[in-house]
Amino acid sequence: MSTALATVAHARRIPCEACPLRENEHFRDFTPEELKFVSSFKRGELVSEPSSTILAEGAHSAQLFTLLSGWAFRFKTLEDGRRQILNYLLPGDLVGLQGSVIGEMEHSVESLSAVVLCVFQRDTLPTLFENHPGLAFDVTWLASREERMLDENLLSVGRRSAMERAAYLIAFLYQRAEQVGQAKASKQLIPITQQHVADTLGLSIVHTNKTLRKLAERGLIRWHDRACEVLDPEALADIAGWGGLSDRRRPLI
């Protein structure tokens, strides 16, 4: 289990006007009024090393975040320590909205790589809904998108075979990374271990290892110490029977 905690670092603040994510055509543009509000909404940045706790289940956080760079994941644990990974977080994803609405976190968030997150004060969220309907729709859209991804993950765990589950997960993460500029053409690495895969798919580590080895033998992936190199994302999607992500532009808070 992770014990390191991420820390707020105001000195590294990146102005919203110069946000590198805004250069990505995958994200929709702000209106001038929206950009001004989001810039005032931001309070600083939170930085963490890999395997750091960003939010803990049961915690009451005064903040919510947008992932600016890096990888993280959401998960829940049972009393005996068994972990279920719910979803993965990439740049542009909103983190901690559940705690903002419900009052406490019902899952934890941990960094997979070094990450930087934009920090927003939770008590400013009502102003967003009252005065900026476009941004309010964006928050709702992001929550709905999370639900859609969880639906697909549940389908995998419930109905796909082990091979199909693993192929779907890797193809899904690769396409998400590609859309936000995280997948590099020269070497397409996803910073997960086989234990992460097992905890996502609900499989034993032994079964996971055997399944991933089959995908590697087909030349679809190559496994590294703490990363999966994706060699043929299209073939992985075909094995999973998955049509891929939508190309529509998405919100960025």
Side-chain angles (χ1 to χ4, degrees), residues 123-158:
D123 57 13
T124 313
L125 198 59
T127 304
L128 181 152
F129 280 94
E130 290 169 4
N131 300 330
H132 299 278
L135 293 176
F137 176 82
D138 288 350
V139 171
T140 305
W141 189 95
L142 289 168
S144 299
R145 172 175 170 269
E146 182 77 18
E147 181 180 5
R148 181 179 180 181
M149 289 189 289
L150 289 175
D151 289 347
E152 194 73 33
N153 291 345
L154 182 58
L155 174 64
S156 266
V157 172

Coordinates of all heavy atoms in Angstrom, one line a residue, residues 123-158:
D123 N -15.4 24.8 -2.3 CA -16.4 25.7 -2.0 C -16.7 26.7 -3.1 O -17.7 27.4 -3.0 CB -16.2 26.4 -0.7 CG -14.9 27.1 -0.6 OD1 -14.3 27.3 -1.7 OD2 -14.4 27.5 0.5
T124 N -15.9 26.7 -4.1 CA -16.2 27.6 -5.3 C -17.0 26.9 -6.3 O -17.5 27.6 -7.2 CB -14.8 28.1 -5.9 OG1 -13.9 28.5 -4.9 CG2 -15.0 29.2 -6.8
L125 N -17.2 25.6 -6.2 CA -18.0 24.9 -7.2 C -19.4 25.4 -7.4 O -19.9 25.5 -8.5 CB -18.0 23.4 -6.8 CG -18.4 22.4 -7.9 CD1 -17.4 22.5 -9.1 CD2 -18.4 21.0 -7.4
P126 N -20.2 25.8 -6.3 CA -21.5 26.4 -6.6 C -21.5 27.6 -7.5 O -22.4 27.8 -8.3 CB -22.0 26.7 -5.2 CG -21.3 25.8 -4.3 CD -19.9 25.6 -4.9
T127 N -20.5 28.4 -7.4 CA -20.4 29.6 -8.3 C -20.3 29.2 -9.7 O -20.8 29.8 -10.6 CB -19.2 30.5 -7.9 OG1 -19.3 30.8 -6.5 CG2 -19.1 31.7 -8.7
L128 N -19.5 28.1 -10.0 CA -19.4 27.6 -11.3 C -20.8 27.2 -11.9 O -21.1 27.6 -13.0 CB -18.5 26.4 -11.3 CG -18.2 25.7 -12.7 CD1 -16.8 25.1 -12.6 CD2 -19.2 24.6 -13.0
F129 N -21.6 26.5 -11.1 CA -22.9 26.1 -11.5 C -23.9 27.2 -11.7 O -24.7 27.3 -12.6 CB -23.5 25.0 -10.6 CG -22.9 23.6 -10.8 CD1 -21.8 23.2 -10.1 CD2 -23.5 22.8 -11.7 CE1 -21.3 21.9 -10.3 CE2 -23.0 21.5 -11.9 CZ -21.9 21.1 -11.2
E130 N -23.7 28.2 -10.8 CA -24.7 29.4 -10.8 C -24.4 30.3 -12.0 O -25.3 30.8 -12.6 CB -24.6 30.1 -9.5 CG -25.1 29.4 -8.3 CD -24.8 30.1 -7.0 OE1 -24.1 31.2 -7.0 OE2 -25.1 29.5 -6.0
N131 N -23.1 30.6 -12.3 CA -22.8 31.6 -13.2 C -22.2 31.2 -14.6 O -22.0 32.0 -15.5 CB -21.8 32.6 -12.6 CG -22.3 33.2 -11.3 OD1 -23.5 33.4 -11.2 ND2 -21.5 33.5 -10.4
H132 N -21.9 29.9 -14.7 CA -21.2 29.4 -15.9 C -21.8 28.1 -16.4 O -21.3 27.0 -16.1 CB -19.7 29.3 -15.7 CG -19.0 30.5 -15.3 ND1 -18.6 31.5 -16.2 CD2 -18.7 31.0 -14.0 CE1 -18.0 32.5 -15.5 NE2 -18.1 32.2 -14.2
P133 N -23.0 28.2 -17.0 CA -23.7 27.0 -17.4 C -22.9 26.1 -18.4 O -23.1 24.9 -18.3 CB -25.0 27.5 -18.1 CG -24.7 29.0 -18.5 CD -23.7 29.4 -17.4
G134 N -22.1 26.7 -19.2 CA -21.2 25.9 -20.1 C -20.3 25.0 -19.3 O -20.1 23.8 -19.6
L135 N -19.6 25.6 -18.3 CA -18.7 24.8 -17.4 C -19.5 23.8 -16.6 O -19.0 22.7 -16.3 CB -17.9 25.7 -16.6 CG -16.9 26.6 -17.3 CD1 -16.2 27.6 -16.3 CD2 -15.8 25.8 -18.0
A136 N -20.7 24.2 -16.1 CA -21.5 23.3 -15.4 C -21.9 22.0 -16.2 O -21.8 20.9 -15.7 CB -22.8 24.0 -14.9
F137 N -22.2 22.3 -17.5 CA -22.4 21.1 -18.4 C -21.2 20.3 -18.5 O -21.3 19.0 -18.5 CB -22.9 21.6 -19.7 CG -23.1 20.5 -20.7 CD1 -24.3 19.7 -20.7 CD2 -22.1 20.2 -21.6 CE1 -24.5 18.7 -21.6 CE2 -22.3 19.1 -22.5 CZ -23.4 18.4 -22.5
D138 N -20.0 20.9 -18.6 CA -18.8 20.2 -18.7 C -18.5 19.3 -17.5 O -18.1 18.1 -17.7 CB -17.6 21.2 -18.8 CG -17.6 21.9 -20.2 OD1 -18.3 21.5 -21.1 OD2 -16.8 22.8 -20.3
V139 N -18.8 19.8 -16.3 CA -18.6 18.9 -15.1 C -19.6 17.7 -15.2 O -19.2 16.6 -14.9 CB -18.9 19.7 -13.8 CG1 -18.9 18.8 -12.6 CG2 -17.8 20.8 -13.7
T140 N -20.8 18.0 -15.6 CA -21.8 16.9 -15.7 C -21.3 15.9 -16.8 O -21.5 14.7 -16.6 CB -23.2 17.5 -16.1 OG1 -23.5 18.4 -15.1 CG2 -24.2 16.4 -16.1
W141 N -20.8 16.4 -17.9 CA -20.3 15.6 -19.0 C -19.2 14.7 -18.5 O -19.2 13.5 -18.8 CB -19.8 16.4 -20.2 CG -19.5 15.7 -21.4 CD1 -20.4 15.5 -22.5 CD2 -18.3 15.0 -21.7 NE1 -19.7 14.7 -23.4 CE2 -18.4 14.4 -23.0 CE3 -17.1 14.9 -21.1 CZ2 -17.4 13.7 -23.6 CZ3 -16.0 14.2 -21.7 CH2 -16.2 13.6 -23.0
L142 N -18.3 15.2 -17.8 CA -17.1 14.4 -17.3 C -17.6 13.3 -16.3 O -17.1 12.2 -16.4 CB -16.1 15.4 -16.6 CG -15.3 16.3 -17.5 CD1 -14.6 17.3 -16.7 CD2 -14.4 15.5 -18.4
A143 N -18.6 13.7 -15.5 CA -19.2 12.6 -14.6 C -19.9 11.5 -15.4 O -19.8 10.3 -15.1 CB -20.1 13.3 -13.6
S144 N -20.6 11.9 -16.4 CA -21.3 10.9 -17.3 C -20.3 10.1 -18.0 O -20.5 8.9 -18.2 CB -22.2 11.7 -18.3 OG -23.2 12.4 -17.6
R145 N -19.2 10.7 -18.5 CA -18.2 9.9 -19.2 C -17.6 8.9 -18.2 O -17.3 7.7 -18.6 CB -17.1 10.9 -19.7 CG -15.9 10.2 -20.3 CD -15.0 11.3 -20.8 NE -13.7 10.9 -21.2 CZ -12.6 10.9 -20.4 NH1 -12.7 11.3 -19.2 NH2 -11.4 10.5 -20.8
E146 N -17.3 9.3 -17.0 CA -16.8 8.3 -16.0 C -17.7 7.1 -15.9 O -17.3 6.0 -15.8 CB -16.6 9.0 -14.7 CG -16.0 8.1 -13.6 CD -14.5 7.9 -13.8 OE1 -13.8 8.7 -14.5 OE2 -14.0 7.0 -13.2
E147 N -19.0 7.4 -15.8 CA -20.0 6.3 -15.7 C -20.0 5.4 -16.9 O -20.1 4.2 -16.8 CB -21.4 6.9 -15.5 CG -22.5 5.9 -15.4 CD -23.9 6.6 -15.2 OE1 -24.0 7.8 -15.4 OE2 -24.9 5.8 -15.0
R148 N -19.9 6.0 -18.1 CA -19.8 5.2 -19.3 C -18.6 4.3 -19.3 O -18.7 3.1 -19.7 CB -19.7 6.1 -20.5 CG -19.7 5.4 -21.8 CD -19.7 6.4 -23.0 NE -19.6 5.7 -24.3 CZ -19.6 6.4 -25.4 NH1 -19.6 7.7 -25.5 NH2 -19.6 5.7 -26.6
M149 N -17.4 4.8 -18.8 CA -16.2 3.9 -18.8 C -16.4 2.8 -17.8 O -16.0 1.7 -18.0 CB -15.0 4.8 -18.4 CG -14.6 5.7 -19.6 SD -13.0 6.5 -19.3 CE -13.4 7.7 -18.0
L150 N -17.0 3.1 -16.6 CA -17.3 2.1 -15.6 C -18.2 1.0 -16.2 O -18.1 -0.2 -15.8 CB -17.8 2.7 -14.4 CG -16.9 3.5 -13.5 CD1 -17.6 4.2 -12.4 CD2 -15.7 2.7 -13.0
D151 N -19.2 1.4 -17.0 CA -20.1 0.4 -17.6 C -19.3 -0.6 -18.5 O -19.5 -1.8 -18.4 CB -21.1 1.2 -18.5 CG -22.2 1.9 -17.7 OD1 -22.3 1.7 -16.5 OD2 -22.9 2.7 -18.4
E152 N -18.4 0.0 -19.2 CA -17.6 -0.9 -20.1 C -16.7 -1.8 -19.3 O -16.5 -3.0 -19.6 CB -16.7 0.0 -21.1 CG -16.1 -0.8 -22.2 CD -17.1 -1.2 -23.3 OE1 -18.1 -0.5 -23.5 OE2 -16.9 -2.3 -23.9
N153 N -16.1 -1.3 -18.2 CA -15.3 -2.1 -17.3 C -16.1 -3.2 -16.7 O -15.6 -4.3 -16.5 CB -14.6 -1.2 -16.2 CG -13.6 -0.2 -16.8 OD1 -13.1 -0.4 -17.9 ND2 -13.2 0.8 -16.0
L154 N -17.3 -2.9 -16.2 CA -18.2 -3.9 -15.6 C -18.5 -5.0 -16.7 O -18.5 -6.2 -16.3 CB -19.4 -3.3 -15.1 CG -20.4 -4.2 -14.4 CD1 -19.7 -4.9 -13.2 CD2 -21.6 -3.4 -13.9
L155 N -18.8 -4.6 -17.9 CA -19.0 -5.6 -19.0 C -17.8 -6.5 -19.1 O -18.0 -7.7 -19.3 CB -19.3 -4.8 -20.3 CG -19.4 -5.7 -21.5 CD1 -20.6 -6.6 -21.4 CD2 -19.5 -4.9 -22.8
S156 N -16.6 -5.9 -19.0 CA -15.4 -6.8 -19.2 C -15.3 -7.8 -18.0 O -15.1 -9.0 -18.3 CB -14.2 -5.9 -19.1 OG -13.7 -5.5 -20.4
V157 N -15.5 -7.3 -16.8 CA -15.3 -8.2 -15.7 C -16.4 -9.3 -15.7 O -16.2 -10.4 -15.3 CB -15.4 -7.4 -14.3 CG1 -15.4 -8.3 -13.1 CG2 -14.1 -6.5 -14.3
G158 N -17.6 -8.9 -16.1 CA -18.8 -9.8 -16.0 C -18.9 -10.8 -17.2 O -19.3 -11.9 -17.0

